[in-house]
Amino acid sequence: MNNERILNLAIRYGFLVLLAGIVMYFSLAAEGFASPRSAVFVLQSVAITGILALGVTSTLVVDGFDLSIGSVATSSLMLSAYSMVILEYSAFVTVLLCLTMGALVGLVNGLLIVKMRVPDLLATLGMMFLLIGLQRIPTQGNSIATGMRLPDGSIAEGTFAAEFLWIGRHRFDMFIEKLFPMPVVVFLLVAVAVWLFLGFTRHGRLMYAIGSNQRAAELVGTNVSRYKVLAYMISGVLASVGGILLAARLGRGDIASGNNLLLDSVAAALIGFAVLGAARPNAFGTAIGALFVGILLQGLTMMNAPYYTQDFVKGAVLVAALVFTFYLSSRRSSAGRH
Amino acid sequence: MSQTICEVRGVEKSFGSNRVLRGIDLSMCAGEVTVLMGANGAGKSTLVKVLCGVHSADEGELVLAGNPYTPVDAADAISQGVVTVHQSIDDGVIPDLDVATNLMLDKLTAPGAGLFVNDRKLRAEARKVAEAMGLTMNVRQLVSELDVADRQMIAIARALARSPKLLILDEPTSSLSATEAERLFALIDRLRSAGVAILYISHRMSDIRRIADRIVSMRDGSISGLFDTQPLDYEGAVTSMLGHAMTDVDITPETNSAPILCLKAIKLREDSPPIDLVANDGEVIAVTGLLGSGKSQLAEVIFGLSRPIAGKMKLDGGSYQPANAKSAVSAGVFMSPKDRASNAVIPDFDIANNMTLPFLGSFSRYYKLSDRKQRRASEEMIGNIGIVCQSNRDGIGTLSGGNQQKVMIARWLLKPGRVLLLDEPFQGVDIGARRDIGRHIRATAKGRATIVFVAEIDEALEIADRIIVLNEAAIAGEHINQNIDLAKLVAEVSGPSLSPALAG
């Protein structure tokens, strides 16, 4: 009985204790780690990944998976550059265009899965390839920047609008002047919104029900197809938000950026399973998962660990979190998670 | 007297606090067909699972051909000569492989089987097995292309290819037509004369009459009757299977109230006659019949999961044509489906969230779910229907089958509905929980029409005001639940091929 309580406590708080331990260790071992600037740097490094991870979380909740988020984000990056630099649209139109593109991709993903009965992994894998290819066609595979030569011989004269760059680069004053970057604000807002939606509305609850037993959810009168499509649309829109922030930070349509986005955000969502012993996708866990990876990498970097060890560290954290989730949770007498 | 092949002595088995087998003594002889009858929850399947090595007995012993028999798992049981054909056919065949491979699977898994598969030889051997069974299909055909009956025959054929000492058939005819069943019986006759002991589980009176050498009835985990003197006393067997359960429940049938749901000339199948049915306010109707009699189909039609071939439905006088579960629920027609594990339970949720799932909207304020409201409503239900649990936060998986089922039914009692459909509500439910559920359904029946779909007659007798018997998707009989002529009811359930002794 006592053993079981310890096990339950370990499953519930183990990951958070580990996180606190890591923060303490780096604060003592790495000079400058425990400073506002460093904390904000961590947040900034995980903001975009975190937003994408929250999107993939909503598809995981309905027992789906979205592999296309990385390519939606880079498509959104290229689209925003194309819209402002070549088509010379305003920042507002550009943002609207990107969000619409994300929603549309999510809709197509959802319909492929719900109506065409394509398995989720395959549908979104197909969409991923399609988008990676599509985003290169208008520029013949080149990155987009002001002053580039277009295929018809003219020069692209548009520039990234100042308002647009503000989204990616503005820093709010907090304790220290120009501390808190806009992307972090967006990340926190998205995280709270997704957390509230999935955890505290009936729509979120029904999505969890679909993920746990789709047939049962259907037989109590849930519109399963609509919720599944909704999940993929959330994922698509959030991925396009991530792409917008990336474009606004870079200030150019860099074709090679955003390579790691998919894997990093999926890792964050899966690490999130372990937080508070949830053993299921959840917004709070995803945000913590993203932070965990960010803190670890920041600390290691400050202790002069070479950059090429980063992926190894991420992988190790992910495997540990998965063991934590699936092995320990299966040993616990299963209590209701909702 | 022939020689005893298998003997069961004082076998007991409990799951948690639920005593499923309470000291079973049974012997099966070579060349004899022992029919095992028993209502749902009587412990038949558990006994079969003990015999075929899936469960081990808590107490008692098994003897096979004079030696102690303690199978460690299903494969061990088979190698010792106890072969079982399970009720669920899909456990017995691999749909994506062809008939030949399915028939010869054991050859492929046997130790010493070669690395390469000689397809021609495999097919030749499979053809021999198929011929012995009287199967005529092409052995190259994929099993997934065959109909249910043929799949069943393949599962049985494979079991027979192992030349068993004891063959256990668990409701093998439930998906077979009369001619297919006759093929199976011919085979059983042949095995009987070859000296195989056969344990045959069924409620179909026509089957039992055709092949039984002796009948054993089970009730509440014990043997309640053994009939082996010719001619067999079929009526006595049915009575001892049902016991005195129905006299325990005192029902005064509800009659003469306002109609709620009207079915007009509903045709479930192309070739079946139309069904007319009126369900009245406050009335509990039990629709009973064998597997495949159209019970579940009828439930699905009323709940909007499938469309009838022809006919109309009316709800409270207005037209009622649900397109799916959602529109049925919003019209006030609720259904607790059969097979709760796959159709009803949300394994990740606790009791309160499982219970309130259909009506989350009414537990929300603006867009936010009110945890407090959910918990309060389910706490009240837990008290009303008698769910045994520590709190409404318990995971649904921690409950026993009966208590899970109570949660699934309580789900639809939270809000007043017009029609409540319960498809096999007593599946995998112990007798105590079954009584609780029945009592509560009857107590709350006012203000709605309740239709319960059950295969077991005694369950129908326990809960209903009126019993409707379905056979081959047609109404075979209708009874007010008072001084029912049980023999007539059983005769209607089993269909026209019943023994005159019982039908008379």
Side-chain angles (χ1 to χ4, degrees), chain A residues 17-60:
Chain A
V17 169
L18 192 62
L19 182 62
I22 286 174
V23 170
M24 267 175 18
Y25 172 75
F26 283 133
S27 307
L28 296 176
E31 204 178 324
F33 180 84
S35 69
R37 288 246 178 257
S38 156
V40 166
F41 192 86
V42 169
L43 279 171
Q44 184 165 23
S45 72
V46 301
I48 292 173
T49 316
I51 290 170
L52 265 66
L54 289 162
V56 94
T57 302
S58 72
T59 62
L60 289 170

Side-chain angles (χ1 to χ4, degrees), chain A residues 199-203 205-206 208-210 212-213 215-223 226 280 334-338, chain B residues 303 305 325-326 337 341-350 353 357 360-361 364 367-369 374 395 398 411-412:
Chain A
F200 299 94
T201 68
R202 70 189 176 95
H203 305 292
R205 194 65 49 92
L206 288 172
Y208 275 111
I210 292 169
S212 184
N213 186 345
R215 175 81 183 145
E218 200 173 338
L219 285 177
V220 299
T222 311
N223 194 332
R226 195 189 295 166
R280 63 191 170 88
S334 69
R337 301 188 190 115
H338 251 309
Chain B
F303 195 53
L305 301 179
K326 190 179 165 64
S342 51
N343 293 331
V345 172
I346 306 289
D348 279 355
F349 283 13
D350 64 14
N353 276 292
L357 188 68
L360 286 181
S364 315
Y367 282 97
K368 193 192 164 298
L369 264 179
Q374 279 181 290
T398 63
R411 198 182 251 184
W412 297 111

Side-chain angles (χ1 to χ4, degrees), chain A residues 5-18:
Chain A
R5 272 192 56 194
I6 293 170
L7 182 69
N8 272 331
L9 280 177
I11 289 169
R12 217 168 151 71
Y13 301 109
F15 213 80
L16 292 179
V17 169
L18 192 62

Side-chain angles (χ1 to χ4, degrees), chain B residues 4-47:
Chain B
T4 303
I5 294 278
C6 179
E7 208 170 333
V8 179
R9 290 181 195 150
V11 163
E12 293 191 18
K13 178 82 193 167
S14 306
F15 296 103
S17 60
N18 192 4
R19 287 180 68 204
V20 182
L21 297 180
R22 310 168 178 235
I24 299 284
D25 293 296
L26 183 63
S27 60
M28 283 149 284
C29 298
E32 209 173 53
V33 177
T34 306
V35 167
L36 182 62
M37 289 173 81
N40 243 350
K44 289 170 309 197
S45 331
T46 310
L47 179 60

Side-chain angles (χ1 to χ4, degrees), chain A residues 156-175:
Chain A
E157 297 195 328
T159 54
F160 270 71
E163 301 91 335
F164 189 84
L165 294 176
W166 180 85
I167 305 172
R169 293 175 177 174
H170 181 75
R171 284 166 176 269
F172 295 98
D173 298 340
M174 207 174 138
F175 309 125

Side-chain angles (χ1 to χ4, degrees), chain B residues 13-305:
Chain B
K13 178 82 193 167
S14 306
F15 296 103
S17 60
N18 192 4
R19 287 180 68 204
V20 182
L21 297 180
R22 310 168 178 235
I24 299 284
D25 293 296
L26 183 63
S27 60
M28 283 149 284
C29 298
E32 209 173 53
V33 177
T34 306
V35 167
L36 182 62
M37 289 173 81
N40 243 350
K44 289 170 309 197
S45 331
T46 310
L47 179 60
V48 169
K49 282 180 180 156
V50 169
L51 280 170
C52 69
V54 175
H55 293 324
S56 60
D58 297 339
E59 291 287 330
E61 55 175 349
L62 304 174
V63 179
L64 186 69
N67 303 313
Y69 164 67
T70 46
V72 287
D73 56 21
D76 187 33
I78 290 165
S79 68
Q80 297 196 42
V82 175
V83 171
T84 308
V85 178
H86 290 282
Q87 190 176 2
S88 155
I89 313 127
D90 291 327
D91 293 350
V93 291
I94 298 172
D96 288 339
L97 294 179
D98 62 7
V99 172
T101 317
N102 263 288
L103 286 173
M104 292 289 114
L105 266 185
D106 304 312
K107 285 267 159 53
L108 297 179
T109 56
L115 175 60
F116 295 99
V117 176
N118 182 342
D119 263 325
R120 189 174 308 168
K121 205 169 133 212
L122 187 83
R123 277 197 287 271
E125 283 180 44
R127 228 166 265 136
K128 242 182 276 167
V129 174
E131 264 163 37
M133 269 288 283
L135 296 180
T136 50
M137 79 274 284
N138 182 353
V139 294
R140 289 185 181 216
Q141 216 174 351
L142 289 187
V143 166
S144 56
E145 295 166 0
L146 302 175
D147 60 26
V148 187
D150 278 336
R151 290 187 205 190
Q152 177 94 338
M153 295 302 266
I154 285 170
I156 295 172
R158 196 171 73 225
L160 296 180
R162 302 188 240 224
S163 41
K165 293 195 191 89
L166 172 64
L167 175 67
I168 303 173
L169 297 163
D170 192 355
E171 306 211 19
T173 53
S174 53
S175 48
L176 300 187
S177 72
T179 42
E180 287 160 339
E182 189 44 50
R183 243 159 67 199
L184 176 69
F185 297 146
L187 192 84
I188 291 176
D189 288 340
R190 222 174 323 148
L191 290 169
R192 170 161 42 196
S193 50
V196 178
I198 295 165
L199 183 65
Y200 188 100
I201 292 142
S202 178
H203 324 280
R204 260 197 190 177
M205 288 312 297
S206 51
D207 294 9
I208 297 171
R209 201 180 132 260
R210 167 71 176 76
I211 57 158
D213 294 314
R214 53 205 278 265
I215 302 177
V216 174
S217 306
M218 262 183 97
R219 210 174 94 74
D220 292 345
S222 331
I223 302 286
S224 58
L226 175 65
F227 304 85
D228 54 2
T229 46
Q230 296 293 340
L232 293 174
D233 177 8
Y234 299 107
E235 201 165 345
V238 173
T239 313
S240 75
M241 168 181 104
L242 298 181
H244 301 287
M246 52 247 184
T247 55
D248 293 355
V249 184
D250 196 17
I251 285 176
T252 319
E254 178 78 38
T255 45
N256 300 330
S257 49
I260 290 183
L261 180 74
C262 300
L263 271 58
K264 285 190 180 145
I266 292 282
K267 268 178 76 162
L268 296 177
R269 295 175 197 159
E270 280 298 347
D271 54 354
S272 69
I275 292 176
D276 287 289
L277 176 66
V278 178
N280 298 318
D281 190 348
E283 188 185 33
V284 179
I285 300 177
V287 175
T288 185
L290 297 169
L291 202 77
S293 61
K295 285 191 319 282
S296 292
Q297 240 175 319
L298 185 62
E300 284 175 7
V301 164
I302 301 176
F303 195 53
L305 301 179

Side-chain angles (χ1 to χ4, degrees), chain A residues 42-290:
Chain A
V42 169
L43 279 171
Q44 184 165 23
S45 72
V46 301
I48 292 173
T49 316
I51 290 170
L52 265 66
L54 289 162
V56 94
T57 302
S58 72
T59 62
L60 289 170
V61 166
V62 294
D63 198 21
F65 206 104
D66 193 349
L67 283 177
S68 68
I69 46 167
S71 60
V72 172
T74 51
S75 297
S76 159
L77 163 80
M78 294 305 286
L79 178 62
S80 57
Y82 194 84
S83 152
M84 285 181 293
V85 173
I86 296 171
L87 303 175
E88 300 182 24
Y89 288 155
S90 71
F92 180 72
V93 173
T94 302
V95 168
L96 212 61
L97 217 58
C98 290
L99 294 180
T100 311
M101 187 274 301
L104 206 67
V105 172
L107 179 68
V108 173
N109 275 335
L111 292 179
L112 281 176
I113 291 161
V114 169
K115 298 281 177 217
M116 304 294 161
R117 312 248 165 229
V118 183
D120 43 27
L121 278 176
L122 306 185
T124 54
L125 182 77
M127 184 54 78
M128 175 183 104
F129 276 112
L130 197 141
L131 288 176
I132 290 176
L134 186 64
Q135 67 194 354
R136 287 162 190 239
I137 292 174
T139 59
Q140 300 180 321
N142 296 314
S143 295
I144 302 174
T146 307
M148 72 181 285
R149 188 169 289 280
L150 297 177
D152 63 3
S154 61
I155 302 287
E157 297 195 328
T159 54
F160 270 71
E163 301 91 335
F164 189 84
L165 294 176
W166 180 85
I167 305 172
R169 293 175 177 174
H170 181 75
R171 284 166 176 269
F172 295 98
D173 298 340
M174 207 174 138
F175 309 125
I176 306 174
E177 217 175 312
K178 297 196 174 167
L179 176 70
F180 220 64
M182 187 62 189
V184 175
V185 174
V186 176
F187 168 54
L188 294 179
L189 287 179
V190 167
V192 169
V194 173
W195 179 65
L196 286 175
F197 178 74
L198 290 179
F200 299 94
T201 68
R202 70 189 176 95
H203 305 292
R205 194 65 49 92
L206 288 172
M207 283 167 70
Y208 275 111
I210 292 169
S212 184
N213 186 345
Q214 178 174 335
R215 175 81 183 145
E218 200 173 338
L219 285 177
V220 299
T222 311
N223 194 332
V224 170
S225 304
R226 195 189 295 166
Y227 279 111
K228 281 193 147 178
V229 172
L230 175 70
Y232 286 94
M233 288 182 72
I234 292 174
S235 177
V237 169
L238 290 186
S240 69
V241 170
I244 292 170
L245 293 177
L246 193 58
R249 200 158 86 194
L250 296 173
R252 56 188 239 112
D254 188 350
I255 202 104
S257 58
N259 282 338
N260 252 339
L261 278 177
L262 169 66
L263 294 180
D264 284 0
S265 48
V266 168
L270 293 180
I271 291 169
F273 281 32
V275 177
L276 289 180
R280 63 191 170 88
N282 69 98
F284 179 72
T286 300
I288 297 290

